[in-house]
Amino acid sequence: QDALDLYRRLDIDGFSLDDERDCAPRKSTDEFVRWVKFQNAFASALVDDDDNYIPVTSAVQALFGIQDDPNNDPCDRPPVMYPLEKRVVQELQSAFLEKWLVMDTYYFGLDRFLSTLVGYIPKQTLAVGMMWNRDGLTQENLIARFHAIDKAGVDWINMFMLPIDDIFLPFLLRWKTYCAGCGEQRILGCYDMSVTCQPSDSDDVADL
């Protein structure tokens, strides 16, 4: 009820949860299952005055490191060194949330970024976090990242910290408008950064 009162009083669009207690939300599979159950109960109880569910997202990281071990450290090793926990996958795929916002994509190199995108979160509930104020983000690196985001069908990007560095702006415009106005053939101009994309008011980006 307190959450509903806040929603009405502040006129917000929804709620975003962020729990990094064990680096991952929880370090053991049993604790993670209970944690997701709480989130499901919270999200399913949030119904507005028109009987519509209020959006709830959850920011997460190091899900690959959650193990059936109460002494586990989810961030102690590279992702590939952890065995896959099927219960974690099941919970992610059945959760009552609008989006899982992955934060592993804030840090590390292109290899870790791509591994996260092809992970086991259903693409329809996958949101990608990106951080502008970090080293190593060249134009070619960003071309690869945004191409991967496009091909993964991701429809939600969360930019961590404002203001956003100028290097990100042409990529975000291309992603948001489906490369509308990127030359005579948008498919060819989408990742050609010598082309200035100029979407017009007549562009129906939803159909591109």
Side-chain angles (χ1 to χ4, degrees), residues 105 109-117 128-130 145 148-149:
T105 47
L110 180 60
D111 52 351
R112 181 78 65 89
F113 185 91
L114 297 177
S115 297
T116 300
L117 283 186
V128 173
M130 302 185 80
R145 290 174 189 246
I149 288 172

Side-chain angles (χ1 to χ4, degrees), residues 96-153:
F96 195 89
L97 292 172
E98 179 164 350
K99 294 290 181 183
W100 291 107
L101 171 61
V102 292
M103 297 184 289
D104 306 274
T105 47
Y106 286 153
Y107 321 105
F108 308 110
L110 180 60
D111 52 351
R112 181 78 65 89
F113 185 91
L114 297 177
S115 297
T116 300
L117 283 186
V118 298
Y120 41 75
I121 295 179
K123 296 302 179 284
Q124 66 272 21
T125 58
L126 173 62
V128 173
M130 302 185 80
M131 179 188 295
W132 70 263
N133 60 337
R134 46 154 298 180
D135 296 329
L137 291 181
T138 63
Q139 186 179 84
E140 290 202 344
N141 187 289
L142 285 173
I143 289 174
R145 290 174 189 246
F146 275 88
H147 181 268
I149 288 172
D150 180 27
K151 297 309 176 186

Side-chain angles (χ1 to χ4, degrees), residues 31-94:
E31 286 188 320
F32 180 72
V33 170
R34 288 194 294 270
W35 178 80
V36 173
K37 184 178 294 185
F38 162 77
Q39 289 197 119
N40 289 342
F42 177 74
S44 60
L46 291 177
V47 180
D48 65 19
D49 297 330
D50 297 320
D51 292 329
N52 298 314
Y53 285 109
I54 297 169
V56 177
T57 64
S58 186
V60 291
Q61 63 183 10
L63 298 174
F64 49 77
I66 300 172
Q67 299 288 295
D68 191 14
D69 176 4
N71 298 314
N72 173 56
D73 182 345
C75 291
D76 187 47
R77 290 169 279 164
V80 70
M81 301 304 295
Y82 291 93
L84 178 65
E85 277 291 333
K86 291 184 178 180
R87 279 200 294 165
V88 172
V89 177
Q90 292 167 354
E91 293 298 323
L92 292 171
Q93 294 177 342
S94 61

Side-chain angles (χ1 to χ4, degrees), residues 150-168:
D150 180 27
K151 297 309 176 186
V154 174
D155 63 3
W156 186 314
I157 293 177
N158 187 77
M159 293 300 301
F160 180 61
M161 299 181 67
L162 295 174
I164 300 170
D165 192 270
D166 287 350
I167 193 174
F168 269 97

